[in-house]
Amino acid sequence: MAASVVVVGAGLGGLRAAESLRAAGFEGAITVVGDEPSMPYNRPPLSKEALSAGVHVAELEFRRKPSVADVNWQLGSQVISSDLAARTLTLADGTQLAFDGLVIASGIRPRRLPIPGPETGRHVLRTAHDAMNVRNYLTPGRSAVIMGAGFIGCEVAATARGLGSEVHVVALDEQPMIRPLGAELGLGMRSRHLKHGVDFHLGRTVREFLGGDHVTSVLLDDGTELPASVVIEAVGSVCNVEWLQGNGLDLTDGVLVDQGMVVHSEIPIVAVGDVARHPNSLFGNIPRRIEHWNMPTETGRRAGASLAALLRGEQPDQGPFSAMPAFWSDQYAYKLQSFGMPGIATSIQIVDGSADDACIVEYCDDTGLVGVVGVDRTAELAPYRKQLLDR
Amino acid sequence: MVIITVDMEKCQNYGQCCFEADDVFALNGDGQLEYVKEADESRRADIESAADICPMQAITVDKK
Ligand SMILES: Cc1cc2nc3c(=O)[nH]c(=O)nc-3n(C[C@H](O)[C@H](O)[C@H](O)COP(=O)(O)OP(=O)(O)OC[C@H]3O[C@@H](n4cnc5c(N)ncnc54)[C@H](O)[C@@H]3O)c2cc1C
Ligand code: SF4
């Protein structure tokens, strides 16, 4: 019988891995198991235009290539454990699923902090379902408290202001988006948010949620009390790897893979997307997870080809993995675009414009340019991207 | 022939498509996307890559 592949996770990474298996000539059965009820859909709009205009999952679904028309989608179904040596998975309903090849595409979920007080009214934003819940609260005059000043927190802040909500952002960081962008551009982004009426509480944490059954206010560590119709928690992520425990894999930060996205040398297993900690030859081959939208496609392409080779009993391509990390963010009418890994820079310089206006920012470490960010200067970033590719 | 359609209502001019197939997609001097509507079959793989990597999923690739 022909080999079969199971993909765990019906997100962008899972879809691209399946498409790439087919492109690499794999003709066996492919089953994609996903715990969400929907076919793979696009998440970035969930903090931006879809959160603003209304969440319609069908409109967010990815177009799927004809090559994956025969894939068996097992949706609304969670994998809870695995025995990789025996090549079996166990689903939440107790059924077992056997595989010859496995794709780990289970992504990440938002981190939750243990904070005392009512649970109702506390929300995260990862799925379409989450976005629908949050959307209901974002109406004029109501107050939204956003925990975390990273990209998702800041995008939600901008969208919520656009919908007329009062918005408070609470974060321990000195500036919004300071880790990926640095202090100066972070400050520039903060001044944009201030102009649009966002209230920042930086260097602060939440001590307690107050209210009866439902959160009505948030108490900060300095004693400030903020009114809250809803709390949106955007304070980092946790990898969905619990189902892989007990198999001797390195799960310290996602799933460790090699340059071919291969997890295991004997059992044909690959990993893709947010959960895959992969080397990148453009940035010293240090394995890192990169939570950018283009990575599920880039890693998925490579992983599908590797897995198809392994299932044919061949050695996967050993060439370096050198996809360019790319990130964009929309906040109000500002368009931010990033290439490379600005977050690893040791020196940052605004080379054109100024941080609170359209600008281009270079990020360097001792090896040279490692990243570039443009605000409203997308079309001018191509030469920087080229320079990064030539590293 | 490969037939390329970009939904300009969806397109946000991120220019990601240009890096995959710069003979088909380009941002003009105003930063707006311009593209050719037909390309040779030999360009299909790159054009499909561009459609895959478009953040707004605005690109459709067909056959003629
Ligand atoms: C609100 C939001 C805004 C974003 N905005 C941007 C942006 O502007 N720019 C950008 O570059 N990136 C952005 N991103 C990041 C980008 O969307 C992610 O990098 C991308 O979705 C990762 O895809 P993935 O396939 O690796 O994981 P996911 O899309 O998370 O897919 C994993 C799937 O696996 C499922 N799953 C997990 N465990 C199991 C299990 N045990 N059994 C079955 N199924 C399981 C999950 O429920 C999920 O459906 C944003 C993300 C979010 C949430
Ligand atoms: S990648 Fe998509 S959004 Fe960006 S310019 Fe091309 S078509 Fe437009």
Side-chain angles (χ1 to χ4, degrees):
Chain A
M1 216 178 87
S4 69
V5 166
V6 174
V7 179
V8 178
L12 179 55
L15 171 62
R16 293 290 187 248
E19 290 175 342
S20 157
L21 274 163
R22 288 287 184 248
F26 175 75
E27 289 174 351
I30 302 179
T31 299
V32 182
V33 185
D35 58 7
E36 289 186 72
S38 355
M39 292 297 271
Y41 61 89
N42 206 9
R43 296 188 198 280
L46 298 178
S47 51
K48 313 178 183 75
E49 59 275 13
L51 186 60
S52 173
V55 184
H56 305 286
V57 194
E59 287 170 21
L60 297 175
E61 255 181 41
F62 292 111
R63 261 192 304 273
R64 299 181 295 278
K65 297 212 167 65
S67 63
V68 294
D70 62 351
V71 164
N72 169 24
W73 299 89
Q74 211 160 312
L75 302 175
S77 179
Q78 192 185 23
V79 176
I80 51 163
S81 64
S82 55
D83 181 343
L84 301 182
R87 302 196 194 192
T88 55
L89 305 175
T90 305
L91 307 184
D93 67 3
T95 36
Q96 300 238 324
L97 202 56
F99 63 84
D100 299 303
L102 178 68
V103 179
I104 299 169
S106 47
I108 58 175
R109 63 179 182 273
R111 188 156 67 105
R112 298 296 302 271
L113 301 173
I115 297 171
E119 280 290 323
T120 317
R122 294 177 62 177
H123 290 269
V124 293
L125 191 57
R126 179 77 186 172
T127 65
H129 183 74
D130 296 335
M132 283 178 215
N133 286 333
V134 169
R135 177 69 179 81
N136 290 333
Y137 289 99
L138 301 181
T139 51
R142 279 169 123 181
S143 171
V145 173
I146 297 166
M147 290 168 59
F151 279 105
I152 292 184
C154 288
E155 288 176 0
V156 174
T159 305
R161 282 302 299 143
L163 291 166
S165 301
E166 186 185 312
V167 175
H168 297 275
V169 174
V170 181
L172 208 44
D173 299 327
E174 263 160 75
Q175 299 297 346
M177 300 166 279
I178 189 165
R179 260 161 297 170
L181 299 182
E184 198 172 353
L185 186 52
L187 177 64
M189 292 308 294
R190 177 174 159 195
S191 69
R192 291 171 173 87
H193 280 276
L194 288 173
K195 239 188 272 172
H196 285 85
V198 172
D199 209 347
F200 282 96
H201 307 268
L202 298 173
R204 297 268 72 92
T205 55
V206 171
R207 186 191 296 163
E208 194 179 345
F209 297 114
L210 304 176
D213 294 338
H214 196 290
V215 178
T216 52
S217 66
V218 172
L219 184 65
L220 305 188
D221 57 351
D222 65 350
T224 310
E225 191 177 331
L226 304 172
S229 302
V230 63
V231 177
I232 299 140
E233 305 179 33
V235 290
S237 55
V238 181
C239 294
N240 294 324
V241 292
E242 290 78 359
W243 63 279
L244 287 164
Q245 276 161 5
N247 289 291
L249 297 181
D250 179 343
L251 302 174
T252 39
D253 178 25
V255 182
L256 181 65
V257 298
D258 70 8
Q259 73 280 8
M261 305 304 135
V262 175
V263 176
H264 208 285
S265 50
E266 280 129 53
I267 315 167
I269 304 177
V270 294
V272 301
D274 283 359
V275 77
R277 182 155 54 99
H278 61 272
N280 188 318
S281 67
L282 297 176
F283 303 98
N285 278 322
I286 300 163
R288 295 184 178 98
R289 289 191 315 103
I290 301 183
E291 297 175 16
H292 290 4
W293 187 88
N294 77 323
M295 296 318 288
T297 295
E298 301 284 3
T299 54
R301 256 179 215 160
R302 185 67 182 258
S306 291
L307 188 56
L310 288 169
L311 290 167
R312 283 194 298 264
E314 293 164 14
Q315 174 92 327
D317 176 6
Q318 297 295 302
F321 180 74
S322 58
M324 177 64 63
F327 187 94
W328 81 96
S329 179
D330 294 337
Q331 298 169 32
Y332 314 102
Y334 312 113
K335 281 193 170 348
L336 196 139
Q337 171 85 61
S338 153
F339 291 110
M341 303 213 55
I344 64 171
T346 47
S347 81
I348 304 174
Q349 203 190 351
I350 298 181
V351 289
D352 211 343
S354 69
D356 53 8
D357 202 350
C359 61
I360 296 176
V361 187
E362 277 188 4
Y363 296 79
C364 299
D365 71 1
D366 53 11
T367 66
L369 189 71
V370 290
V372 63
V373 173
V375 183
D376 296 330
R377 300 287 288 269
T378 303
E380 291 153 82
L381 297 181
Y384 296 92
R385 182 181 181 278
K386 170 120 200 348
Q387 198 182 327
L388 286 165
L389 276 176
D390 294 343
R391 271 169 57 84
Chain B
M1 286 302 258
V2 186
I3 310 295
I4 303 128
T5 322
V6 180
D7 181 341
M8 295 311 279
E9 297 275 303
K10 280 193 187 163
C11 171
Q12 294 284 331
N13 303 301
Y14 288 112
Q16 306 288 49
C17 49
C18 313
F19 301 121
E20 304 293 323
D22 61 3
D23 53 334
V24 176
F25 305 97
L27 295 182
N28 69 17
D30 300 325
Q32 302 292 310
L33 178 72
E34 287 178 358
Y35 66 103
V36 298
K37 297 194 166 53
E38 287 189 9
D40 190 75
E41 198 57 39
S42 64
R43 304 293 301 125
R44 178 171 294 275
D46 286 341
I47 295 167
E48 290 204 339
S49 292
D52 286 350
I53 213 75
C54 167
M56 306 313 294
Q57 294 288 288
I59 304 172
T60 331
V61 188
D62 291 313
K63 224 187 178 84
K64 187 159 98 182

